[in-house]
């Protein structure tokens, strides 16, 4: 509320307490300071406008302006002294006397809500006789504006009207119903007002959902746009939907309303809240450039500005003619802005007051004054100190800077409250403040006995028997006594403060804990600090941590160890994870302020215990971050092994957030320490490599999770390793910046996982890194690596060991190939293109000699069949994407494909390369180029390999490339003179049928497959039939239903029927095996009744005939499948839920499953080839 405005009804309990303080009169101005009934709030209307309402800071309903005038007159009549507060009873009496009944009723209601009922108003409004006219007319029938004998107008309170007995006014009973209708109308009006008030409260709550700290940030930085509020979002949603409907965007409107289904777009009141509907979007757009300028730009704000001095945008004597889009929120925002300006000005004035007071104190210490003049001087200084204190207005003054004048003022204040001692002289002089003697007071010249005097004073209601009474009766007279008093009172205050507001006590607790002389009390206060909030959220924990750091800076390492750390230790096993999280975070925050012995012993042990035992992910994450901070302050080399163990423990954590924190914080900090110790290249990296080698030699198979763990740690060590190479280079002494620093390409380094993995951060600055990189490239190109031990270690020890490890991993493990590929890619990108071309590629090329002699066709253990091929292709050759790099990659893949094909070696290494590269669409064209090289190759073996590689590539390539590049190549190969090449194209054609949706493309593929099945030249091609049946079983369940129904099932039926007439027993068993697997896969699909009768069931019966001769154990499965299909056909329940149940699922509850499993365990050696019939072929 602006200075000068008075609300005589706004008397809270806190204001009554202010009323009792000696200086309470300085806080609020008297109503007599200005014109009656007029407020100086620049945003309030004038008092003489009848419907105006005062803009007050109180949340309760304000009385009418007329009531304010009367109340102000009453105040002025009682006493014009600015120091006097008017009793509420006097105001109530004046309102009743002048017949301001509604205003009195408002006052009575507010006092009832505050729990301070006034007897005068209670008696008045509880007496129905006060509302009767002399003629006996019921109050409900009276008109407004009656004279002194009139009653309450229709806008009175419900309770008052309900208290009247309407029946006694009725002579014939007919009027009673009319009166009741009037009362019900009144109650309806009051209910609507209540709804409006609730809507206003909801509006305020919705608009205040932005956290207070964020609002402060937006106000202090206007260039930052404040996020949208829920109320604004709902209003904008309504307007957007209305715009879409008006402009015939009906589908967009439906979609928009579906995406925001929590709102009713037919009713503006659902936006709710007590706001009028703004114009539509078109009108808003047309008027957006005509809005009034912001008051903040046109009005100079100053203390005490008059209402008429502000611009017309802020004040108007008439109702404001603003557009509806400018809401009252603008006024509130302007008020808050002015308040912030005034607060800043108040703070600056308070600082000046402090400075002046300290200067006055220094002057008084240097100038001695006669004792006789002490009283007068003290009195004048007390007056001036009171004036200064009133200007301070809430600023805390340093307790060390209390002036003598303030002490005199306190003495004069105490004179009014302390009981006089009868034995003291009746007239004593006030001693100077510097003296430690007791304060003396003027005594009356009376002859009362001491016993009578004491008995008389006993009627003063003072309580000194309780704990609080004794604290109140003792006034602190020094800093130490203040601290003692706070130490005694705070433990009783904290439990009675709301949990949401307890962080407001943190400064008080910390200040007392810092300055309190008793160790036991300090311990109790710090215990209160750590237990202040049961489950502190992020903001509250940050506040407590900030306080702990401030405490640590103030008291030093010894007291931090003795007082703060025990509090952390007590909370280490607390049941709430938020409290344990506070402990973990505080260990890192306090690390710089602890003794170095404690950092590397107690704190490290605490964090290690929490990392190993705590069950909450967020706690372990905070532990890992705090461990990273501790690593920056440990200087004990003996703790290296403990740090390494904790790094492995955190890397193996099951929580992804803990592992991420390890890579982002702990490993960079630990690597920085090992670099200082000189252990990065000698211990840390070799230790991880040895663990990887041990994993690869394991007898129980490779643990891919541990391999990923160790390899990711090595990857996080690449930036610090490169920094070591730069900082120990021969040119480091010449790396002095002169002039403008060279630039670094944006893509020079891979994106770091955190700022701690940025090489520029490790080196010191981006300018220093740019200079070192320039010298690094020059050294590699022109001067070599002589004398460069750190780089020679990378070239001669690290790279050969890594290449050897790569040769040992399983090439079929896509996870391992991907992990090592990413590692080499990051290594080459970090060390640069020159290093990659001159140091990395030659070592790989030396091992990968592309010749047939380098492939062992019998054992298949040549280097080209190992994972070295895909890792070199995808991890090294793809680091840089220049034209020469792409040509080198194409040539390498072509040579590998040719060499492996001609050597009849396994193609796993080539497949792994295609899978890894095919995951990136940027390499699809390149891979198609390699495959076309195989299509036109002179060797049929190479053409077969190329055809099989198309199967891997089709799944990731877009349909345009499939149509333009893949299908033509496959058509070419399908007419190859060699039958083996034609057969090799079948899996690729099947994959196209599984993944492509273009009808023309599918028809082409379908025709090609039909030619394989129907052409007489292929009737006796056993291998072709095997490949087709295998392909049908693989792609049939996922292919287009039409293709499956019209092509796959009929041809499987034909193949099964033809197999019954096969004369070769081995060929018949092979075909039956593949048919069994194909029918098992297709049984999970929905099959229509016609297909079931015409193709599926006949094919199963043919297959059962084969299995009866060669594998009776599987006849049970086939018979069960046939029986189930026949039941489905008989019941004609294809469209029902039970009919759509898959055959495989229906077998679960039958005895056939048990029989089948028992039979599978009894398979003889002759039937062992059928043991894996249910495994999907890769």
């Amino acid at each position: 509320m602006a200075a000068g405005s008075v609300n005589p009804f706004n008397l809270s309990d806190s204001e009554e307490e202010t009323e009792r303080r000696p200086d309470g009169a300085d806080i609020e101005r008297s109503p007599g300071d200005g014109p009656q009934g007029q407020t100086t709030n620049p945003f309030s209307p004038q008092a003489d406008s009848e419907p105006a309402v005062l803009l007050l800071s109180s949340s309760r309903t304000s009385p009418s302006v007329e009531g304010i005038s009367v109340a102000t007159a009453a105040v002025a009549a009682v006493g014009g002294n600015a120091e006097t507060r008017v009793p509420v009873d006097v105001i109530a009496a004046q309102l009743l006397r002048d017949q301001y009944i509604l205003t009195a009723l408002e006052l009575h209601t507010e006092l009832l809500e505050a729990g301070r009922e006034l007897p005068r108003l209670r008696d008045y409004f509880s007496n129905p006789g006060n509302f009767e006219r002399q003629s006996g007319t019921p109050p409900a029938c009276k008109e407004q504006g009656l004279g002194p004998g009139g009653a309450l107008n229709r806008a009175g309170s419900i309770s008052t009207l309900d208290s009247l007995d309407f029946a006694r006014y009725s002579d014939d009973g007919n009027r009673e119903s009319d009166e009741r209708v009037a009362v019900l109308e009144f109650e309806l009006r009051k209910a609507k007002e209540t709804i409006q008030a609730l809507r206003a409260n909801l509006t305020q709550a919705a608009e205040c959902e932005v956290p207070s700290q964020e609002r402060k940030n937006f106000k202090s930085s206007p260039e930052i746009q404040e996020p949208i509020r829920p109320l604004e979002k709902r209003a904008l949603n309504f307007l957007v939907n209305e715009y879409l409907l008006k402009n015939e965007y009906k589908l967009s409107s439906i979609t928009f309303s579906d995406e925001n289904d929590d709102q009713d777009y037919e009713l503006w009141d659902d936006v709710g809240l007590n706001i009028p509907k703004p114009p539509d979007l078109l009108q808003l757009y047309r008027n957006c450039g005509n809005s009034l300028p912001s008051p903040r730009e046109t009005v100079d704000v100053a203390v005490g500005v008059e209402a008429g001095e502000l611009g017309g945008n802020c004040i108007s004597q008439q109702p404001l003619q603003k557009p509806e889009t400018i809401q009252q929120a603008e006024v509130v925002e302007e008020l808050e802005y002015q308040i912030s300006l005034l607060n800043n000005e108040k703070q600056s004035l308070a600082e000046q007051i402090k400075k002046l007071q300290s200067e006055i104190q220094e002057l008084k210490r240097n100038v001695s004054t006669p004792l006789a003049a002490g009283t007068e001087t003290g009195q004048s200084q007390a007056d001036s100190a009171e004036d200064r204190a009133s200007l301070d207005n809430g600023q805390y003054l340093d307790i060390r800077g209390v002036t003598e004048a303030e002490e005199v003022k306190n003495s004069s204040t105490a004179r009014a409250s302390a009981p006089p001692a009868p034995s003291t002289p009746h007239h004593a002089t006030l001693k100077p403040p510097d003296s430690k003697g007791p304060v003396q007071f003027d005594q009356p010249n009376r002859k009362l006995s001491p016993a009578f005097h004491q008995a008389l004073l006993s009627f003063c209601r003072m309580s000194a028997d309780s704990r609080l009474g004794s604290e109140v009766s003792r006034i602190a007279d020094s800093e130490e006594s203040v601290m003692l008093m706070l130490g005694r009172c705070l433990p009783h205050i904290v439990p009675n403060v709301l949990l949401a507001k307890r962080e407001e006590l943190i400064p008080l607790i910390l200040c007392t804990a810092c300055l309190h002389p008793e160790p036991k009390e300090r311990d109790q206060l710090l215990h209160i600090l750590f237990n202040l909030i049961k489950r502190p959220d992020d903001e509250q924990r940050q506040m407590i941590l900030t306080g702990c750091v401030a405490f640590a800076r103030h008291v030093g390492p010894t007291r931090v160890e003795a007082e703060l750390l025990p509090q952390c230790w007590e909370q280490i096993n607390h049941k709430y994870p938020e409290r344990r999280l506070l402990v973990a975070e505080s260990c890192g925050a306090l690390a710089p302020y602890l003794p170095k012995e404690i950092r590397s012993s107690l704190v490290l042990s605490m964090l290690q215990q929490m990392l190993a035992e705590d069950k909450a992910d967020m706690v372990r994450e905070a532990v890992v971050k705090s461990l990273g901070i501790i690593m920056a302050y440990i200087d004990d080399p003996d703790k290296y092994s403990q740090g390494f163990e904790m790094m492995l423990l955190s890397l193996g954590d099951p929580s992804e957030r803990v592992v991420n924190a390890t890579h982002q914080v702990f490993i960079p900090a630990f690597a920085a320490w090992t670099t200082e110790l000189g252990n990065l290249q000698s211990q840390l990296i070799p230790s991880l490599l040895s663990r990887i080698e041990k994993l690869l030699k394991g007898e129980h198979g490779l643990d891919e999770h541990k391999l990923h763990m160790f390899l990711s740690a090595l990857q996080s060590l690449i930036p610090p390793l490169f920094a070591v190479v730069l900082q120990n280079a021969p040119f480091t002494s010449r790396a002095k910046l002169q002039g403008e620093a060279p630039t670094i390409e944006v893509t020079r380094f891979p994106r770091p996982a955190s700022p701690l993995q940025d090489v520029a951060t490790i080196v010191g600055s981006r300018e220093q890194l740019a200079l070192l990189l320039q010298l690094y490239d020059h050294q590699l190109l022109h001067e070599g690596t002589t004398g460069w031990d750190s780089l020679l270690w990378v070239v001669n020890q690290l790279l050969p060991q890594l290449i050897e490890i790569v040769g040992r991993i399983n090439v079929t493990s896509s996870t391992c190939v991907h992990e090592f590929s990413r590692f080499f890619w990051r290594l080459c990108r970090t060390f640069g293109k020159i290093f990659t071309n001159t140091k990395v590629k030659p070592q790989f090329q030396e091992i990968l000699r592309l010749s047939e002699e380098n492939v062992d066709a019998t054992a298949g253990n040549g280097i080209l069949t190992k994972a070295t091929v895909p890792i070199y292709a995808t991890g090294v050759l793809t680091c840089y994407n220049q034209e020469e790099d792409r040509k080198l990659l194409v040539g390498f893949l072509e040579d590998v494909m040719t060499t492996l094909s001609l050597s009849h070696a396994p193609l796993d290494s080539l497949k792994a390369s295609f899978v890894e590269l095919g995951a990136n669409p940027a390499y699809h064209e390149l891979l198609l180029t390699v495959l076309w090289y195989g299509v036109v190759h002179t060797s049929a073996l190479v053409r077969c390999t190329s055809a099989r590689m198309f199967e891997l590539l089709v799944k990731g390539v877009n349909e345009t490339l499939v149509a333009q590049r893949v299908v033509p190549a496959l058509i070419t190969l399908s007419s190859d003179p060699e039958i083996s090449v034609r057969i090799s194209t079948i899996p690729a054609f099947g994959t196209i049928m599984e993944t492509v949706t273009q009808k023309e493309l599918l028809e082409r593929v379908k025709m090609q497959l039909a030619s394989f099945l129907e052409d007489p030249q292929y009737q006796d091609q056993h291998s072709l039939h095997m490949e087709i049946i295998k392909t049908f079983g693989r792609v049939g369940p996922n292919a287009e239903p039409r293709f499956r129904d019209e092509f796959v099932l009929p041809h499987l039926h034909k193949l099964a029927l033809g197999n019954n007439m096969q004369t070769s027993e081995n060929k018949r068993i092979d075909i039956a095996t593949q048919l069994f697997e194909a029918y098992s896969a297709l049984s999970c699909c929905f099959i229509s009744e016609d297909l079931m009768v015409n193709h599926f069931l006949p094919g199963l019966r043919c297959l059962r005939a084969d299995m009866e001769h060669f594998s009776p154990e599987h006849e049970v499965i086939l018979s069960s499948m046939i029986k189930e299909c026949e039941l489905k056909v008989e019941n004609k329940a294809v469209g029902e839920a039970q009919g759509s149940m898959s055959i495989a699922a229906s077998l679960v509850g039958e005895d056939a499953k048990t029989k089948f499993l028992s039979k599978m365990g009894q398979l003889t050696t002759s039937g062992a080839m059928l043991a894996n019939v249910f495994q999907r072929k890769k």
Side-chain angles (χ1 to χ4, degrees), residues 43 292-301 313-314 322 330 334:
F43 294 96
L292 293 175
S294 172
R296 189 178 303 173
E297 300 174 358
T298 58
V299 178
D300 293 329
V301 180
N313 294 343
C314 303
K322 292 184 176 182
E330 295 181 0
E334 187 61 34

Side-chain angles (χ1 to χ4, degrees), residues 644 647-648 651 659 662-663 667-668 671 680 684-685 688 692 706-720 757 819 823:
F644 184 75
M647 182 188 75
L648 296 181
L651 282 171
V659 176
T662 306
H663 288 293
I667 291 181
L680 182 64
L684 182 55
I685 295 178
L688 292 171
I692 293 176
K706 284 190 175 180
L707 179 65
H708 167 72
M709 183 178 79
F710 296 139
L711 203 56
S712 63
L714 275 177
Q715 188 168 306
S716 295
L717 292 174
I718 292 175
Q757 289 191 9
E819 293 289 341
F823 173 79

Side-chain angles (χ1 to χ4, degrees), residues 260-282:
N260 301 274
D261 57 355
D262 59 342
Q263 188 172 343
D264 184 3
Y265 292 101
E266 295 181 359
L267 183 64
W268 168 256
D269 286 341
D270 183 69
V271 173
L273 314 177
N274 196 24
I275 58 174
K277 182 177 180 299
D280 57 21
L281 284 181
L282 179 62

Side-chain angles (χ1 to χ4, degrees), residues 135-388:
S135 61
T137 305
C141 299
K142 294 182 181 179
E143 299 179 356
Q144 298 182 3
L146 294 176
L152 190 66
N153 290 334
R154 177 161 294 190
S157 69
I158 299 176
S159 59
T160 303
L161 291 173
D162 289 345
S163 66
L164 302 180
D165 185 6
F166 291 100
R168 61 181 177 179
Y169 300 107
S170 176
D171 296 333
D172 52 3
N174 294 331
R175 184 178 298 178
E176 181 177 357
S177 60
D178 296 336
E179 294 166 351
R180 178 52 58 185
V181 169
V183 172
L184 291 175
E185 289 177 352
F186 168 77
E187 291 179 351
L188 177 61
R189 186 169 65 253
K190 293 296 289 184
K192 290 181 178 179
E193 292 175 359
T194 304
I195 291 173
Q196 289 297 102
L198 290 175
R199 286 185 179 276
N201 290 339
L202 287 174
T203 303
Q204 183 178 5
E207 290 183 344
C208 294
E209 284 188 5
V210 180
S212 58
Q213 185 61 38
E214 293 187 13
R215 288 201 304 272
K216 292 179 182 177
N217 295 338
F218 295 131
K219 289 171 186 172
S220 60
S221 303
E223 67 275 4
I224 303 177
Q225 185 176 4
E226 184 175 353
I228 188 169
R229 300 170 179 169
L231 175 65
E232 297 170 340
K233 181 179 179 182
R234 293 175 68 84
L236 289 174
N237 286 349
F238 186 91
L239 294 176
V240 170
N241 187 72
E242 182 184 50
Y243 167 78
L244 293 174
L245 287 176
K246 285 183 177 179
N247 292 274
E248 299 299 328
Y249 298 115
K250 294 183 180 180
L251 292 179
S252 300
S253 172
I254 293 172
T255 305
F256 184 76
S257 59
D258 287 341
E259 292 178 345
N260 301 274
D261 57 355
D262 59 342
Q263 188 172 343
D264 184 3
Y265 292 101
E266 295 181 359
L267 183 64
W268 168 256
D269 286 341
D270 183 69
V271 173
L273 314 177
N274 196 24
I275 58 174
K277 182 177 180 299
D280 57 21
L281 284 181
L282 179 62
Q283 193 66 28
L284 288 175
Y285 174 74
R286 290 173 176 172
N287 295 334
C288 66
N290 302 325
S291 59
L292 293 175
S294 172
R296 189 178 303 173
E297 300 174 358
T298 58
V299 178
D300 293 329
V301 180
V303 178
V305 64
E306 293 298 326
E309 294 177 2
L310 294 177
N313 294 343
C314 303
I315 297 177
S316 176
Q317 303 296 334
Q318 302 297 330
L320 298 177
Q321 300 298 327
K322 292 184 176 182
E324 293 183 358
T325 56
I326 303 177
Q327 301 296 329
Q328 191 177 1
E330 295 181 0
V331 179
V332 175
E333 181 182 359
E334 187 61 34
L335 285 172
E336 290 176 348
Y337 175 69
Q338 293 190 14
I339 289 171
S340 65
L341 292 179
L342 295 175
N343 284 334
N344 293 336
E345 185 178 358
K346 180 182 73 174
Q347 291 176 2
S348 63
L349 291 175
E351 293 296 331
Q352 295 178 14
I353 291 171
K354 289 182 183 180
K355 184 176 180 181
L356 292 175
Q357 286 175 344
S358 60
E359 292 177 358
I360 292 172
Q361 185 178 8
E362 291 297 328
L363 290 174
K364 287 186 178 180
R365 288 176 182 173
N366 298 330
V367 180
S368 60
T369 56
L371 183 61
T375 304
E376 296 178 1
T377 306
Q379 186 62 39
S380 61
Q381 290 173 349
D383 295 339
S384 62
E386 286 183 20
D387 296 338
R388 289 196 303 270

Side-chain angles (χ1 to χ4, degrees), residues 14-35:
S14 60
E15 290 174 341
E16 287 188 336
E17 292 171 6
T18 307
E19 188 176 355
R20 298 190 187 101
R21 294 203 303 267
D23 56 347
D26 293 332
I27 298 175
E28 192 166 343
R29 293 180 55 190
S30 169
D33 293 348

Side-chain angles (χ1 to χ4, degrees), residues 1102-1170:
C1102 294
L1103 181 59
R1104 183 175 62 177
D1106 290 335
M1107 289 301 181
E1108 286 176 353
H1109 293 88
F1110 303 108
S1111 182
E1113 295 86 351
H1114 295 81
E1115 193 268 338
V1116 176
I1117 303 296
L1118 290 169
S1119 298
S1120 179
M1121 293 171 66
I1122 293 171
K1123 181 179 178 181
E1124 182 68 23
C1125 293
E1126 289 174 346
L1127 286 175
K1128 289 173 64 176
V1129 172
E1130 291 175 1
N1131 295 332
K1132 296 181 180 181
V1134 177
E1136 299 176 2
Q1138 60 181 5
S1140 63
M1141 183 187 302
S1142 67
I1143 299 174
S1146 66
L1147 292 176
V1148 174
E1150 299 184 1
D1151 294 338
K1153 178 184 176 184
T1154 306
K1155 294 179 182 179
F1156 171 66
L1157 293 176
S1158 63
K1159 292 292 184 181
M1160 288 296 288
Q1162 301 172 3
L1163 284 176
T1164 61
T1165 306
S1166 61
M1169 60 182 298
L1170 299 176

Side-chain angles (χ1 to χ4, degrees), residues 1 5-9 37-41 43-47 49 51-58 60-69 72 328:
M1 186 165 59
S5 63
V6 178
N7 184 354
F9 303 112
Q38 182 174 350
T39 177
T40 59
N41 188 339
F43 294 96
S44 300
Q46 294 297 326
S49 60
V53 178
L54 278 168
L55 241 152
L56 299 175
S57 62
S58 172
R60 295 187 294 245
T61 307
S62 301
S64 64
V65 175
E66 192 174 2
I68 291 287
S69 303
T72 309
Q328 191 177 1

